Amino acid sequence: MGLEQNEVSLEQIAILHNRFKQLSQNEETLRRDDLKTIQDLESNPIRYQIIEAFFDRRNFQKDGVGSVEEIGFEEFLTVMSYFRAPAHHITEEQREEIRRAKLRFLFNMHDTDNDGTITLEEYRHVVEELLSRSGALGRETAKGIADAAMLEVASISVGPMAPDEFYEGITFEHFLKILKGIEIETRMHIRFLNMDTAVFCKQHSV
Amino acid sequence: GQIISPVMELKMFLLVLGLLVGTGSPDMGSSQGKCSESLVQGPQTQENRTHTTHSKKPFPVLSFGYDYVRLPFEISLWVLLASLMKLGFHLMPRLSSIVPESCLLIVVGLLVGGLIKLVGEAPPVLESNIFFLYLLPPIILDAGYFLPIRQFTENLGTILMFAVVGTLWNAFFVGGLLYGVCQLEGHRLVTVDLLSCLLFGSIISAVDPVAVLAVFEEIHINELLHILVFGESLLNDAVTVVLYHLFEEFSSVGTITVTDVLLGIVCFLVVSLGGIVVGAIYGILAAFTSRFTSHTRVIEPLFVFLYSYMAYLSAEVFHLSGIMALIACGAVMRPYVEANISHKSHTTIKYFLKMWSSVSDTLIFIFLGVSTVAGPHEWNWIFVVATLIFCLVARVLGVVGLTFVINKFRIVKLTSKDQFIIAYGGLRGAIAFSLVYLLNTDHFPKRNMFLTAIITVIFFTVFVQGMTIRPLVDLLAVKKKQETKRSINEEIHTQFLDHLLTGIEDICGHYGHHHWKDKLNRFNKKYVKKCLIAGERSKEPQLIAFYHKMEMKQAIELVESGGGSKLPSAMPSTVSMQNIQPKKPPQDRALPQLSKAREEEIRKILRTNLQRTRQRLRSYNRHTLIADPYEDGWNEILIKRKKMKELEKKISQMNNYLTVPAPPPDSPTIARARLASDPQAWGLKSATESIPSIKVDLASPQSPESVNIVDEIGMKGSQPKVSEEGGGLTMKVPSPTKPRKDQTTDEDNDKEPQQRLMRCLSDPGPAAEEEDEDEPFLH
């Protein structure tokens, strides 16, 4: 079973490596512009956020902050690893960990100024981007939708508030709470990426 | 009460039974009919009657003409019986929690059949025509129209595997083994040839959607299992149709060649895909028609029903799978039709479909019971028991084997608990019965035996499996359906995830199913929606559609719960806009554009209820009160104030609030309120952006009167609560900071919290000097 996994994972990693080389035009590092050249991404309303996520040091699992200008294959793979499906036989704690990691990725995508909360402005930006393809109707209703969503988070997480209290923004814990209904660990995966980067890293260092 | 109703039910039941038995016997009816007819037509047929030509008969004051109404009368009576039975079961909660409805109905059918037989008449049998043409379509349409598309497509591979491969496996396993048993048995069964056995196997192996729906609806298991079993029961229709026709055709010939098998496979593809195409065509037609129905809203539901029924019938003409056509039609037309039709039509469609499918379902089970009594039966212990055992074994083996293969491709694997429920939920039902009933006795001399065997299997699955599945589900702690409402955050993130995953796939360079789904969505948005959806709704993205739907629902909840008789409740502050708005200078607020139709709808809903309350509130404006504080209004004010105190106490104990922040922006009340509270209009330096919100407390529903208050007083931004608090007693609008004059401390106490609370409603509490008290309240 373990051997099978290794073989499969090596193949997948090879494919991704090819893709990396293709995107970066055979250089060692990848830049934002390289990703922007992908044709299919043009029609994606949140392409900028997706591209940013690849260059966000918070996603590299090394406790860094801020963003970088270029990334190597290891970082590329690390970001990709967020989209693996959880293995079948894992414990509840492991499942919860994977869930937290994936939701952290999403949270980082929203929390652009890295203050630990998603403020109303940032959330509005998210919704506006989502509706950016819908013209004028989208922009105007986006505010209303973002406001509604924020109020919902506040009322679920904090409960009744006095008029002079102020809800700073969605913290990571609140974020976890409101997205409890979506099974993130299984929803957020690409079928293609059923591999184990830990294996790769070990092999790589060897 | 509880004691009386079952007795009454019993009396009604007996009465209806008696009527049925009476009508069931043809002689009684027709003979009296003849008499009555002759009675009615007396004058005309005078010459035919020998003894009445000369004597004058007295004018018949009361006569009996049953034959005239016989058929519709009997049908109505049966439907009435079915509905009364359904009613009765739900009045006995203990019974309905142990025994599923389908079992009870079959028992009733048995009783009715038994009674009819006792009277000496032949009980009516469930005719296959009636079943397939009238009773089955409503159930399938109901299922297809409300099919959860997202889960269905996500699990399509699994469902197809179970439906196609599973049914084939079942058919051949049962058929083959039965043939073996028949051969081994010897004298009575040896005449049953292989093809007959295979035909029987193919009929009995199909999981029945009616039975599955009836049982699964009551146990509320999680959506995955529900859609797997239910989807399988729907899609295996194509397999059943093909196998049935294949074996029936060749049973007369006696042999099957390889060519026939190949043709059979081709036939299967034609039947299933053809059915889907036919359904899709009618679905698109229905969607297109609904685009133009804005002026004839009343017949909108009719189009939905008619097009779907036509799809079913058209598919049946060509022996394609009618069930798949119906499902395809409902699923295809739904997103477009729902965007086009009015809210009332949507409700009508929903309720009619549920009603018809419920009646059909009930009738089917009752008739199953009656048909069992009617027979004809041929009991053969070995055959029947063998059938039962093989069916169960085949089902279990099939599910386990297929799951083993399927789990290699699934992300969310099916556990053994899931497998057990899927295997256990493979119920057989009336479709199998009707198919056997259709068999020609010449070709199938053992048809009656088949019938008996099928009825036994159906009874076993419905009674034993149906009754035990609920405790088993509880015992195994199978995940139940989550009753949570879909929140807007979840919707936003579902959309976000879709785009994210598509983007990642594009970056990987891998065209996975997100990529294709995205392409399909874009195609849908660009071309299809423009054709099929009327007006501006065609450009509405899904998120906005969801948001509007949510708003609408909450506006309706608000109105319906407000009722007009509740007081304008002082809503304690839950979270409102000022809680989340960062402090920043007031800015322009662009009013979103809503389509006129939507605006009109929302307006109408709010208006119908507000009109009732408007009258009462008018009498509480400051001017009338000031004019005569000692008229009747004063007493009412006191009473109101007392009630509000009580309400407030109640509210403070409740802790479940749903906030609806952004009200339908263009409703007249809120629009005026917003203008009123717009800081620029007031010249306030209020930091918070003033956006009024409607807070709906589900427990203590907010009355529309509070909304109304905003309306009444909104224009010049006076404190809204003044009206209902009898603030007219003072000239000055009370402010939270200033002490109130002319008020008792008592009033002050309950006004204070209310003031603060009401501030949230019409936002913000301005300093009193801002208000222009000379402005009239109402306009």
Side-chain angles (χ1 to χ4, degrees), chain B residues 6-40:
Chain B
V7 175
M8 261 184 64
E9 280 306 316
L10 214 57
K11 286 195 191 136
M12 273 202 287
F13 172 57
L14 286 173
L15 177 66
V16 176
L17 263 187
L19 274 171
L20 266 175
V21 169
T23 58
S25 44
D27 295 334
M28 218 166 72
S30 51
S31 56
Q32 289 192 317
K34 277 204 207 82
C35 284
S36 68
E37 276 186 36
S38 55
L39 213 55
V40 167

Side-chain angles (χ1 to χ4, degrees), chain B residues 386-588:
Chain B
T387 309
L388 194 58
I389 296 179
F390 292 149
C391 274
L392 292 172
V393 170
R395 177 78 184 160
V396 172
L397 287 178
V399 169
V400 171
L402 281 175
T403 317
F404 181 72
V405 175
I406 288 171
N407 270 345
K408 294 203 201 298
F409 299 96
R410 279 182 70 90
I411 300 296
V412 181
K413 317 268 184 210
L414 295 174
T415 63
S416 35
K417 254 193 260 179
D418 295 335
Q419 291 174 42
F420 176 74
I421 297 293
I422 295 174
Y424 209 66
L427 307 173
R428 315 304 203 265
I431 293 184
F433 175 84
S434 308
L435 283 175
V436 168
Y437 205 76
L438 277 175
L439 287 178
N440 194 331
T441 339
D442 302 325
H443 291 158
F444 300 95
K446 286 291 179 184
R447 168 185 170 264
N448 295 339
M449 189 174 69
F450 289 173
L451 208 61
T452 313
I454 282 218
I455 288 185
T456 316
V457 173
I458 293 177
F459 270 46
F460 183 83
T461 56
V462 172
F463 278 91
V464 175
Q465 286 179 236
M467 271 201 268
T468 53
I469 200 168
R470 203 193 310 223
L472 275 173
V473 160
D474 290 332
L475 194 71
L476 293 174
V478 178
K479 232 182 359 170
K480 294 265 178 120
K481 183 155 72 169
Q482 288 170 304
E483 295 294 347
T484 51
K485 229 190 276 193
R486 200 145 162 78
S487 74
I488 187 136
N489 278 294
E490 284 184 7
E491 183 67 24
I492 291 177
H493 280 95
T494 310
Q495 299 262 316
F496 192 82
L497 261 181
D498 277 343
H499 289 299
L500 175 63
L501 293 172
T502 312
I504 296 288
E505 276 189 359
D506 291 333
I507 292 180
C508 277
H510 170 73
Y511 285 169
H513 82 278
H514 281 102
H515 179 90
W516 295 117
K517 203 163 76 164
D518 189 59
K519 266 215 162 78
L520 185 67
N521 277 338
R522 274 187 285 135
F523 172 74
N524 188 16
K525 196 195 289 197
K526 200 160 170 200
Y527 301 111
V528 183
K529 275 193 179 167
K530 285 221 176 74
C531 281
L532 299 179
I533 300 185
E536 299 143 33
R537 297 281 312 260
S538 61
K539 296 194 213 83
E540 197 177 55
Q542 191 186 342
L543 186 59
I544 295 185
F546 176 84
Y547 176 59
H548 284 322
K549 219 193 286 186
M550 198 180 79
E551 275 186 316
M552 184 80 112
K553 223 188 297 180
Q554 284 164 337
I556 292 174
E557 264 176 34
L558 167 71
V559 168
E560 278 178 356
S561 59
S565 55
K566 298 263 168 64
L567 285 168
S569 56
M571 294 301 298
S573 73
T574 128
V575 188
S576 77
M577 280 313 295
Q578 54 199 68
N579 293 118
I580 64 172
Q581 294 285 354
K583 314 253 185 272
K584 52 180 191 261
Q587 58 207 33
D588 260 319

Side-chain angles (χ1 to χ4, degrees), chain A residues 5-114:
Chain A
Q5 250 179 346
N6 283 359
E7 286 169 22
V8 169
S9 60
L10 278 177
E11 195 184 310
Q12 300 275 17
I13 291 166
I15 296 175
L16 277 176
H17 195 69
N18 282 338
R19 179 69 178 167
F20 183 82
K21 282 212 290 242
Q22 186 188 18
L23 287 173
S24 66
Q25 284 132 21
N26 279 324
E27 290 177 33
E28 281 299 316
T29 56
L30 196 67
R31 272 176 245 270
R32 285 186 180 77
D33 297 329
D34 297 324
L35 286 179
K36 283 185 187 158
T37 59
I38 301 176
Q39 197 69 325
D40 298 308
L41 270 186
E42 284 303 304
S43 48
N44 198 318
I46 55 169
R47 61 188 172 285
Y48 293 121
Q49 274 116 317
I50 299 178
I51 294 176
E52 263 316 301
F54 275 89
F55 295 90
D56 189 342
R57 285 174 67 177
R58 289 175 294 177
N59 294 331
F60 294 162
Q61 295 177 348
K62 287 192 186 130
D63 298 327
V65 283
S67 66
V68 292
E69 283 306 311
E70 41 186 45
I71 55 170
F73 184 54
E74 199 178 321
E75 283 96 14
F76 184 73
L77 216 51
T78 314
V79 173
M80 283 298 187
S81 72
Y82 282 101
F83 296 94
R84 279 177 296 145
H88 187 34
H89 300 290
I90 54 170
T91 64
E92 264 313 301
E93 292 102 46
Q94 283 174 321
R95 189 174 284 272
E96 188 59 33
E97 244 181 77
I98 292 176
R99 204 182 140 71
R100 282 185 84 97
K102 297 195 183 201
L103 281 173
R104 187 86 221 177
F105 183 84
L106 280 182
F107 189 81
N108 290 342
M109 282 182 84
H110 297 327
D111 181 21
T112 42
D113 59 1
N114 196 27

